[in-house]
Amino acid sequence: NRLGLGTNRITDTPEARALLQRAVELGVNFIDTAYRYTGGVSETTIGNTLAPYSTGLVVATKGGWSETRPDEMRGLLEESLRRLQTDCIDLYQLHRVNPDVPIEDSVNMLKQFQDEGKICHIGLSEVNVEQLERAQKVATIVSVQNEYNVAVRKHETLVDYCTAHGIIF
C-alpha cells in the first residue's frame, strides 16, 4: 500500500500495541522503525505486538548513524533482529551516512548481511544522488527515505532520479 506507519515515538504501552494491531487490521502493510527510535523500544514494541509477522507485512528498520563505522553495524543489526523477534529483516536501511567512511564500505557491510540472509532488501536514508549512485555500484538499493513533505522539497532531484530508476522514495 502507498501508506505506511512510522513508529518514531512508539513505546511499549497498551495504547501503542493497540495502534499497531489496528493499523495492520486496516490494511497497513508497511511498518517503519529504527534502532534509535525511543532507544530501541519501538522495535521491541513491534516485535512484542506483531511477531510472528503475517505474510505481506513489511517491517523496515534502520541502522547506522553518522558516527557508525561498518564494523559496528553487525551489533546494531543483531540487536534489531532480537528486538523485532525475527531472523530476517525485510528492509534494512542505512540510517545516516558516516561522512568519514566511504558509503561503499557501509553498503558493502549491508550487502554481507543480505548475503547471509539476515536482511532481504537494502535501503538508504538521508542521501543525495551522488551517494545513491555510489551505493548502487555495491548493492541493489530498493528504497531511499529522506525527509520530504509539503514544506521540505530539497530532494526533488533525488525523487526524479529514484522515479527514473524504479527506486522507492
Side-chain angles (χ1 to χ4, degrees), residues 63 68-70 73 92-94 96-98 101-115 119 122-125 127 131-142:
T68 305
R69 296 183 321 272
M73 292 176 67
Y92 195 73
Q93 301 168 99
L94 180 62
R96 294 291 186 274
V97 175
N98 181 335
V101 174
I103 192 169
E104 294 86 351
D105 293 352
S106 297
V107 173
N108 186 55
M109 182 60 68
L110 298 180
K111 178 70 172 126
Q112 286 180 34
F113 299 157
Q114 187 179 48
D115 291 345
I119 64 175
I122 299 170
L124 304 173
S125 180
V127 295
Q131 291 169 320
L132 175 55
E133 288 177 330
R134 289 171 51 200
Q136 287 178 296
K137 292 177 182 173
V138 177
T140 300
I141 306 300
V142 301

Side-chain angles (χ1 to χ4, degrees), residues 10 26 30-31 47 69 71 74-75 92 134 138 141 160 165:
I10 292 283
L26 291 172
F30 179 77
I31 309 282
R69 296 183 321 272
D71 63 324
R74 183 169 299 277
Y92 195 73
R134 289 171 51 200
V138 177
I141 306 300
D160 292 342
H165 291 86

Side-chain angles (χ1 to χ4, degrees), residues 12-113:
D12 203 359
T13 64
E15 295 81 9
R17 287 179 180 222
L19 171 73
L20 288 166
Q21 290 168 338
R22 186 68 176 136
V24 172
E25 287 171 9
L26 291 172
V28 171
N29 64 353
F30 179 77
I31 309 282
D32 176 71
T33 189
Y35 81 101
R36 291 178 64 105
Y37 292 176
T38 59
V41 176
S42 175
E43 289 180 335
T44 299
T45 305
I46 292 164
N48 287 342
T49 306
L50 300 176
Y53 303 104
S54 59
T55 302
L57 178 63
V58 174
V59 176
T61 193
K62 295 176 280 297
W65 200 249
S66 53
E67 71 278 354
T68 305
R69 296 183 321 272
D71 63 324
E72 298 170 311
M73 292 176 67
R74 183 169 299 277
L76 299 176
L77 172 67
E78 295 295 340
E79 288 176 25
S80 291
L81 288 164
R82 179 184 51 77
R83 288 192 293 252
L84 290 167
Q85 300 179 35
T86 187
D87 295 327
C88 182
I89 293 170
D90 298 317
L91 173 61
Y92 195 73
Q93 301 168 99
L94 180 62
H95 205 159
R96 294 291 186 274
V97 175
N98 181 335
D100 298 325
V101 174
I103 192 169
E104 294 86 351
D105 293 352
S106 297
V107 173
N108 186 55
M109 182 60 68
L110 298 180
K111 178 70 172 126
Q112 286 180 34
F113 299 157

